[in-house]
Structure formats: structure tokens, C-alpha cells
Amino acid sequence: MCGIFGAVAAKPVADLLVEGLNRLEYRGYDSAGIVTLEDGELKRVCAVGKVDALRRRISTGGPLGQIGIAHTRWATHGAPSEHNSHPHIAPGVAVVHNGIVENHTELRSALKTQGCTFTSETDTEVIPWMISRSIAAGAAPARAMQEISERIEGSYAIGVLTQQDPDVIHARRAGSPLVAAFGDSGGFIASDVAALAGMAKEAVFLEDGDRAEIARDRVTIHDSTGRIAHRRIVRVDESFETLDRGGFAHFMLKEINEQPTVAAAVGARYAPSDAFDEIMVDFRRLDRVKLIACGSSYYACLVARRWLAEVAGLEADVELASEYRYAPVIAHTGNEVAIFLSQSGETADTLACLDKAKSLRIATIGVVNQMMSTLGREADYALPLLAGTEVGVASTKAFLAQLLVMARLVAHIGAMRGHRAAAERFREGLDRVPGWIAATLHNEAAIISVAEHFLHAKSAVFVARGGLYPLALEGALKLKEISYIHAEGFAAGELKHGPIALIDHTTPVVALAPSGELFSKVASNVREIAARGGRITVLGDRRAILSLSDVASTALTIPSCDDLIQPIVAAIPLQLLSYHVAVARGSDVDRPRNLAKSVTVE
Ligand code: M6R
């Protein structure tokens, strides 16, 4: 997480820096800061909270330096505070940093014995001190950058400003994304190429180990061995996609309402028979699929596993990227493909697993919203989610798009493997999804009254079986991340093995129980919950809701649809429920506390 930005121009850069941070705020919003070099002095301005707080500070007598670095923080080491805000400064050196210095404790102790004094609790502050000491000992800034890379353990991207090199931003990438760019107005660095739209014309994505020097009229890149490197140049968009809430109270609500359009776009792109022709994987011969992701994207993988089994007769392992990256490698034989789901395409754990799969020579497919992201660029094949920019930290339309793209891929794999009838039935259901989502959105008023039952809850429970079990997990995640109510999802059959002890009259329970193969099983579990005083909301079609009306106090209605399609449609009322609970509790829905949109640290 954390957003890095830097600019060197022929005019004061403070406004450019703040605009850059504004565009990168999705990466963290605990505090923001800039440093510019003005008359040979490093001038630092910081503010706790969102970039707007920094903008207000700068508007009253902003710095005039024509070179500067900037940072928006997602706190890892040390609370959000001014003294922990980046940039961090040591004599003659300022640094912005994304990532983690894992050996910072040892480095800090060693630096302290050499007389260095620290003003923050961050891991970052050792970096300016190391560079400062190298320069003081006679090294040029470029040499000092090389030396620190030999001492830092962890993954990171840094931008550095030195008094010694007053016209150059030094930068290095080791694991965390970083882009160097240039245009008529000067040179830049940024964590995300999208932040440079309209400012720079051309950009290069630094590769791991790359070190860059960015001046007003040139960018020079050296690889990890110190040799000049020529990286592919990409054009930067001319205009930044300015996003507005389009009349909705929050981006999250707008994004929930965009889902019929997203579903139609995914259908248009992936329904044609040649939609997956670019993927040179022989799906007929596959022995196994690995599905890897984090958070909501992981839950989308759990749904996809069920579809792969039912529609394509193919077993899949679903892996949490944060665990799989450190899991023992078991030599495999046979044909395997690893599919990575990520809205951002920058999730550090997911990318580590991508590297792992590549090193095992497994074919990789990225299913990703940001095609210019690391996953979009580095997977063997990339399938766009077509969700459009998702601003709300809580994933809604991107989660839906993940389900839909995977559903279309599974139908394709199923057909290739000879399961034509199952694939066709699945496709017919998928074709009707945009209409079903639109119908579900019309129930918003009823969902608002269900939300009232959750307002004062300390804890909430979501239960389901089969293909809907991942949606119980997703419903609970959505609720906790934006309303801050503790919520857990359980496989309904597991309740009596422990979790049912949580149930009493204060616990709202959402039971995902539409008509279908497992309805009677879930219905029995619902009655067990009712017998213990649980306040039940049934999510289901009208028939299911009616048959549980004696035990359920409220309902979330979805259209009657095939079991395979239910996980897609069920996502909608769960999103709206969380949204309205969060709004009523006064949370910052689009920027909930402690979270960030792109999780670039492990
Ligand atoms: O960008 P990714 O899809 O890789 O992100 C994975 C998770 O961080 C993400 O899904 C997270 O759980 C969302 N905030 C859920 O709403």
C-alpha cells in the first residue's frame, strides 16, 4: 500500500505532487506529506488523514521548490501521526517509501550507535539515514542508493531527494510497483501509471532491482547489476479519468448500481465462442487448476471451484495467496494452470504466488481489473474484468465481474472437456444475469429496513451451504469492513460443531437459503438457529422465504434462478445490506478505517 509520487519540473511542483497523491489516495489515507527542495533546503509539509488535509496546509503558503517527492500512507510501523508521515528526513536526504524494511530493527540499532537520531517509529527512517551517512562518507547519491539496496531486506519502492543531487529524483524498486515517467513538463515517479495521466507522456515500469535517476529532461535506469537498462516505454493516458459519484451518496452505492452494466459488458466480451482463443492452454488435458487470491477475490475463487467441478468435471485447489506463497512446494506431474484473481493486480501476496507458479513453470492466467498492473502485465495471459474503476474500498462490481468472467471461463472449459450440456445450461443462466441483478437492485427499499435490525448488533452471522457458502463469507467480510460490526460466515452444517454457541437473541443471522438442491438442509439449520433465539434474515427466492416465514423475521429477496447462478445474484442484496448498515452507523463507506484499495505489502 502507500502511494509514492515525485516530480521535477521547471516550475513549483507542490500542486503536481498533491494532485498525484490525490490520485494515489486509494493506496492509503492515514497521512500524507511532501518534501521539496527549495534554495538548497528540504522543506517538508505533512498532515494526518486524507490528502485534502495536506492540500489545505499547502494552500496557505505552499513550498516553491521545483523538485519534490510525496507520499500517502497506509500505516504499518507506527500510528498515523505527523511524525510518522513520509517523507522522512536525515541530513541532506528525504525519502518516501512503499513496502517494508524487514531488518529495520537491526539497522536502526546500528545507526543509533553511530549517532543517528530517530524521530518516528517507522521502518522507513533507517533509509534516509543510511543514504545520508553514505553521502557524508563520500559516496555519490547513485552509489549510496546501490549500497542501501545491499543492506535492506524486504520488498519496497523508494523515491529519494538529496541536497547533493538537487535536480534528480533517485528511485529504486524491489518488489513494490514503481513507474518512472517523462513529458514536456518534466520527470516523474509514481506507484501507479494512472496517476500520471495528463502530466507525463511516456512511462516505464521499473523491474525488480532497477534503480532510476529522474531529471527534468531524462530518465536513466540501471538494472540490479548496475548496467544501463532499456525498459519498454508505454504511452501515458492524456487525461485522468475523473470519477464522480454520479448523483449517488457514495462511490460504493454507484458501483453496486453499475452491476447490470458490468454484467452486460462481461457477457458481450466473454460469451462469444472465440473469447478465450488467446489462451494457449489445452484445457482438455488439464489435470488440475489452482485458484489463488486474497480477500473477496479469494471468495470468488471458492465459487469458481464449485463451478469447475460441476460444469467441467475438473478439480481445483483454492489457495489464499498469503498462505500459498510460503507453502511447501510439492512437485507436480501433469497439466496444471494457475489462475490469479485480483481487482487491483497489485496485491503483494498474489504477485508472490504468480512468481512462484512461474518458477514452477505452471501456465498462469490473471483475471484482473487493472490491465496495466503487475498481474495484468506479468501473467502469461490476462483476462480483463471490465468492471471500470472501482473506487470504494469494499469490492462490489469487481467481485461480481470476477464471478462472471470465471463463470464464462468455466463454461468454456466445460465445453472443451465434453460437458456440453452442463456448459450450455450454465451459459443460458449467465445470459439472464444482467436482468436478475437489475431486479434485485429494485428491492433496495426493503433491504434498508432489514439493515435497521443490524444497527446495534455486536456480532452477526452468515450461513449457507454448497455454492453459496463463499457468499456467506463474502457477506460477512463486506459487513465487517465497512460497518465495523464483527461478522462471520459459516458453512451451515458446521454450526453445531461450535459456532452455534454464539447464537442468542442479540445475534442477527443471515441465512442464504434459496430454493434448490440444498434448501431443505439449510432450512433445518435455520430452524436450529431459531430454536436458540437467533434473529434470522432469509436470503432467498419468494418460495424459500415463504416456507421459512414462521422462523425468519426479515428477508432479502432474489429472483428464482438455477443453483449455479445463485452465488452471483446473492452478492447484490449482501452488498446493499452492508452498505445501508454502514451508512446508518455513520462509517466512512468508501474509505473505511484501517483499509486501502490496493494491498501492496504482505
Ligand atoms: O485487488 P485484489 O482483488 O487482489 O484485492 C484483494 C482483497 O484485498 C480485496 O478483495 C479486499 O478483501 C476487499 N476490500 C474486499 O471488499
Side-chain angles (χ1 to χ4, degrees):
M1 1 263 251
C2 298
I4 290 179
F5 198 83
V8 45
K11 61 174 190 179
V13 292
D15 288 346
L16 283 174
L17 296 179
V18 173
E19 178 53 23
L21 289 188
N22 195 38
R23 297 173 181 190
L24 293 169
E25 196 181 49
Y26 71 88
R27 304 174 73 88
Y29 35 82
D30 289 334
S31 67
I34 65 170
V35 156
T36 57
L37 195 57
E38 200 174 324
D39 299 329
E41 295 299 318
L42 295 169
K43 299 230 164 119
R44 176 178 187 262
V45 188
C46 294
V48 175
K50 296 185 180 156
V51 174
D52 258 347
L54 175 70
R55 193 195 300 277
R56 283 194 294 277
R57 282 216 173 160
I58 284 172
S59 63
T60 55
L64 297 171
Q66 300 187 351
I67 182 167
I69 52 176
H71 188 267
T72 179
R73 179 170 187 245
W74 185 82
T76 59
H77 296 65
S81 66
E82 266 189 45
H83 68 273
N84 285 331
S85 303
H86 298 218
H88 287 285
I89 296 187
V93 178
V95 169
V96 287
H97 165 221
N98 171 30
I100 292 182
V101 180
E102 286 170 356
N103 56 338
H104 71 101
T105 311
E106 304 90 88
L107 292 170
R108 186 182 270 246
S109 303
L111 287 161
K112 274 185 177 170
T113 63
Q114 295 161 20
C116 304
T117 51
F118 290 84
T119 58
S120 79
E121 291 104 53
T122 65
D123 54 335
T124 304
E125 205 180 351
V126 297
I127 304 175
W129 272 111
M130 286 191 293
I131 297 173
S132 178
R133 289 192 59 78
S134 290
I135 292 175
R143 175 73 211 147
M145 292 290 289
Q146 191 61 35
E147 284 174 10
I148 59 150
S149 65
E150 287 153 20
R151 296 177 66 190
I152 297 177
E153 288 166 18
S155 74
Y156 59 88
I158 53 173
V160 179
L161 208 55
T162 64
Q163 284 175 330
Q164 184 98 356
D165 241 352
D167 302 318
V168 175
I169 297 170
H170 291 269
R172 186 156 199 281
R173 176 193 166 164
S176 302
L178 195 61
V179 176
F182 36 90
D184 297 339
S185 54
F188 300 87
I189 55 167
S191 296
D192 177 355
V193 69
L196 294 159
M199 300 187 200
K201 282 201 167 134
E202 296 182 318
V204 285
F205 293 93
L206 299 191
E207 293 188 5
D208 266 348
D210 280 356
R211 183 175 68 71
E213 292 167 24
I214 297 99
R216 207 189 295 166
D217 54 357
R218 73 185 152 80
V219 168
T220 316
I221 299 172
H222 298 261
D223 66 16
S224 55
T225 67
R227 272 195 287 267
I228 292 269
H230 299 283
R231 303 290 177 222
R232 192 165 76 88
I233 295 174
V234 297
R235 289 207 66 75
V236 178
D237 283 347
E238 276 172 23
S239 59
F240 184 67
E241 188 195 354
T242 26
L243 298 159
D244 64 49
R245 296 197 297 269
F248 289 93
H250 297 95
F251 279 106
M252 183 178 174
L253 188 59
K254 177 180 175 234
E255 288 158 5
I256 289 172
N257 278 281
E258 283 170 351
Q259 293 178 110
T261 314
V262 171
V266 172
R269 163 74 188 253
Y270 292 104
S273 55
D274 60 353
F276 298 100
D277 280 3
E278 279 171 25
I279 301 181
M280 294 294 151
V281 171
D282 188 350
F283 292 116
R284 288 166 305 179
R285 292 177 187 279
L286 274 187
D287 299 312
R288 222 173 170 79
V289 177
K290 244 186 211 324
L291 300 164
I292 303 170
C294 296
S296 290
S297 304
Y298 170 76
Y299 299 147
C301 290
L302 292 178
V303 178
R305 171 169 67 188
R306 181 123 192 149
W307 286 336
L308 276 165
E310 286 195 33
V311 180
L314 192 55
E315 277 189 320
D317 302 316
V318 182
E319 307 283 359
L320 275 172
S322 53
E323 288 296 314
Y324 181 66
R325 65 181 292 179
Y326 297 116
V329 174
I330 297 168
H332 69 104
T333 52
N335 294 309
E336 197 171 351
V337 65
I339 306 180
F340 299 82
L341 269 63
S342 176
Q343 184 285 131
S344 62
E346 294 296 355
T347 301
D349 288 320
T350 306
L351 295 178
C353 295
L354 176 72
D355 287 345
K356 184 168 177 166
K358 289 180 123 187
S359 70
L360 294 170
R361 298 186 186 284
I362 298 172
T364 58
I365 301 175
V367 180
V368 61
N369 207 27
Q370 304 294 337
M371 288 295 277
M372 292 287 263
S373 64
T374 309
L375 179 60
R377 287 179 288 114
E378 294 187 0
D380 295 333
Y381 308 98
L383 299 175
L385 288 177
L386 310 172
T389 303
E390 188 177 68
V391 175
V393 164
S395 187
T396 53
K397 61 176 182 172
F399 175 73
L400 180 95
Q402 287 173 334
L403 292 179
L404 291 170
V405 174
M406 286 308 297
R408 292 287 178 184
L409 179 61
V410 168
H412 173 75
I413 296 173
M416 300 269 290
R417 295 169 68 85
H419 299 255
R420 289 187 195 286
E424 205 39 51
R425 191 187 107 206
F426 196 23
R427 282 182 178 136
E428 279 166 18
L430 291 172
D431 289 344
R432 297 186 62 189
V433 161
W436 279 328
I437 295 174
T440 310
L441 288 169
H442 280 125
N443 297 331
E444 187 172 0
I447 296 172
I448 293 173
S449 48
V450 176
E452 285 164 17
H453 295 261
F454 288 72
L455 294 192
H456 306 293
K458 291 227 163 10
S459 188
V461 166
F462 292 69
V463 296
R465 282 178 182 256
L468 281 166
Y469 165 54
L471 268 292
L473 302 175
E474 169 64 4
L477 175 64
K478 218 85 303 174
L479 185 67
K480 67 185 128 186
E481 72 176 330
I482 57 171
S483 74
Y484 318 143
I485 295 173
H486 173 251
E488 294 299 332
F490 297 108
E494 280 298 295
L495 272 195
K496 57 178 84 62
H497 298 287
I500 202 163
L502 294 172
I503 304 294
D504 65 18
H505 68 283
T506 67
T507 323
V509 178
V510 179
L512 286 72
S515 306
E517 203 189 327
L518 295 174
F519 173 75
S520 61
K521 305 291 172 198
V522 190
S524 301
N525 301 133
V526 168
R527 292 183 186 286
E528 291 159 7
I529 296 165
R532 273 119 193 127
R535 289 190 286 130
I536 297 161
T537 298
V538 175
L539 185 157
D541 54 287
R542 289 191 193 291
R543 190 152 67 96
I545 290 169
L546 190 64
S547 70
L548 286 169
S549 57
D550 56 326
V551 286
S553 46
T554 51
L556 300 168
T557 313
I558 59 167
S560 167
C561 54
D562 191 291
D563 287 26
L564 287 172
I565 303 296
Q566 286 168 356
I568 303 170
V569 182
I572 314 303
L574 295 174
Q575 296 164 354
L576 283 170
L577 176 66
S578 298
Y579 171 77
H580 285 293
V581 175
V583 169
R585 284 169 62 96
S587 312
D588 186 346
V589 173
D590 288 332
R591 295 270 188 270
R593 70 185 185 199
N594 305 341
L595 296 175
K597 188 72 187 155
S598 180
V599 184
T600 59
V601 291
E602 66 171 297

